PDB file of all heavy atoms in Angstrom:
ATOM      1  N   TYR A 863     -46.461 -89.247 -41.944  1.00  0.00           N
ATOM      2  CA  TYR A 863     -45.732 -88.036 -41.580  1.00  0.00           C
ATOM      3  C   TYR A 863     -46.089 -86.892 -42.534  1.00  0.00           C
ATOM      4  O   TYR A 863     -46.180 -87.170 -43.769  1.00  0.00           O
ATOM      5  CB  TYR A 863     -44.214 -88.290 -41.632  1.00  0.00           C
ATOM      6  CG  TYR A 863     -43.425 -87.065 -41.544  1.00  0.00           C
ATOM      7  CD1 TYR A 863     -43.282 -86.361 -40.289  1.00  0.00           C
ATOM      8  CD2 TYR A 863     -42.812 -86.470 -42.644  1.00  0.00           C
ATOM      9  CE1 TYR A 863     -42.544 -85.218 -40.205  1.00  0.00           C
ATOM     10  CE2 TYR A 863     -42.064 -85.269 -42.573  1.00  0.00           C
ATOM     11  CZ  TYR A 863     -41.930 -84.664 -41.376  1.00  0.00           C
ATOM     12  OH  TYR A 863     -41.237 -83.507 -41.250  1.00  0.00           O
ATOM     13  N   ARG A 864     -46.392 -85.772 -42.003  1.00  0.00           N
ATOM     14  CA  ARG A 864     -46.666 -84.618 -42.861  1.00  0.00           C
ATOM     15  C   ARG A 864     -45.767 -83.423 -42.453  1.00  0.00           C
ATOM     16  O   ARG A 864     -45.520 -83.279 -41.239  1.00  0.00           O
ATOM     17  CB  ARG A 864     -48.113 -84.157 -42.755  1.00  0.00           C
ATOM     18  CG  ARG A 864     -49.075 -85.085 -43.535  1.00  0.00           C
ATOM     19  CD  ARG A 864     -50.381 -84.334 -43.802  1.00  0.00           C
ATOM     20  NE  ARG A 864     -51.539 -85.219 -43.592  1.00  0.00           N
ATOM     21  CZ  ARG A 864     -52.553 -84.930 -42.786  1.00  0.00           C
ATOM     22  NH1 ARG A 864     -52.563 -83.705 -42.149  1.00  0.00           N
ATOM     23  NH2 ARG A 864     -53.499 -85.726 -42.638  1.00  0.00           N
ATOM     24  N   GLU A 865     -45.377 -82.686 -43.436  1.00  0.00           N
ATOM     25  CA  GLU A 865     -44.542 -81.522 -43.162  1.00  0.00           C
ATOM     26  C   GLU A 865     -45.209 -80.603 -42.178  1.00  0.00           C
ATOM     27  O   GLU A 865     -44.611 -79.999 -41.297  1.00  0.00           O
ATOM     28  CB  GLU A 865     -44.226 -80.776 -44.407  1.00  0.00           C
ATOM     29  CG  GLU A 865     -43.316 -81.472 -45.414  1.00  0.00           C
ATOM     30  CD  GLU A 865     -41.871 -81.240 -44.961  1.00  0.00           C
ATOM     31  OE1 GLU A 865     -41.533 -80.230 -44.325  1.00  0.00           O
ATOM     32  OE2 GLU A 865     -40.994 -82.173 -45.263  1.00  0.00           O
ATOM     33  N   ASP A 866     -46.563 -80.425 -42.334  1.00  0.00           N
ATOM     34  CA  ASP A 866     -47.236 -79.498 -41.485  1.00  0.00           C
ATOM     35  C   ASP A 866     -47.797 -80.133 -40.196  1.00  0.00           C
ATOM     36  O   ASP A 866     -48.652 -79.543 -39.523  1.00  0.00           O
ATOM     37  CB  ASP A 866     -48.360 -78.843 -42.305  1.00  0.00           C
ATOM     38  CG  ASP A 866     -49.369 -79.848 -42.758  1.00  0.00           C
ATOM     39  OD1 ASP A 866     -49.118 -81.074 -42.650  1.00  0.00           O
ATOM     40  OD2 ASP A 866     -50.475 -79.408 -43.248  1.00  0.00           O
ATOM     41  N   ASP A 867     -47.307 -81.274 -39.768  1.00  0.00           N
ATOM     42  CA  ASP A 867     -47.710 -81.873 -38.496  1.00  0.00           C
ATOM     43  C   ASP A 867     -47.381 -80.923 -37.379  1.00  0.00           C
ATOM     44  O   ASP A 867     -46.418 -80.244 -37.343  1.00  0.00           O
ATOM     45  CB  ASP A 867     -46.903 -83.186 -38.232  1.00  0.00           C
ATOM     46  CG  ASP A 867     -47.601 -84.395 -38.872  1.00  0.00           C
ATOM     47  OD1 ASP A 867     -48.734 -84.240 -39.237  1.00  0.00           O
ATOM     48  OD2 ASP A 867     -46.935 -85.457 -38.953  1.00  0.00           O
ATOM     49  N   ASP A 868     -48.237 -80.947 -36.365  1.00  0.00           N
ATOM     50  CA  ASP A 868     -48.038 -80.055 -35.179  1.00  0.00           C
ATOM     51  C   ASP A 868     -46.758 -80.516 -34.454  1.00  0.00           C
ATOM     52  O   ASP A 868     -46.683 -81.669 -34.022  1.00  0.00           O
ATOM     53  CB  ASP A 868     -49.276 -80.251 -34.308  1.00  0.00           C
ATOM     54  CG  ASP A 868     -49.129 -79.425 -32.985  1.00  0.00           C
ATOM     55  OD1 ASP A 868     -48.181 -78.572 -32.993  1.00  0.00           O
ATOM     56  OD2 ASP A 868     -49.932 -79.601 -32.095  1.00  0.00           O
ATOM     57  N   GLN A 869     -45.780 -79.649 -34.319  1.00  0.00           N
ATOM     58  CA  GLN A 869     -44.537 -80.061 -33.641  1.00  0.00           C
ATOM     59  C   GLN A 869     -44.435 -79.442 -32.291  1.00  0.00           C
ATOM     60  O   GLN A 869     -43.446 -79.563 -31.590  1.00  0.00           O
ATOM     61  CB  GLN A 869     -43.338 -79.484 -34.479  1.00  0.00           C
ATOM     62  CG  GLN A 869     -43.369 -79.797 -35.944  1.00  0.00           C
ATOM     63  CD  GLN A 869     -42.971 -81.269 -36.213  1.00  0.00           C
ATOM     64  OE1 GLN A 869     -42.301 -81.906 -35.428  1.00  0.00           O
ATOM     65  NE2 GLN A 869     -43.385 -81.775 -37.400  1.00  0.00           N
TER      66      GLN A 869
END
Side-chain angles (χ1 to χ4, degrees):
Chain A
Y863 168 76
R864 282 202 222 127
E865 287 282 334
D866 61 349
D867 272 345
D868 178 12
Q869 309 283 340

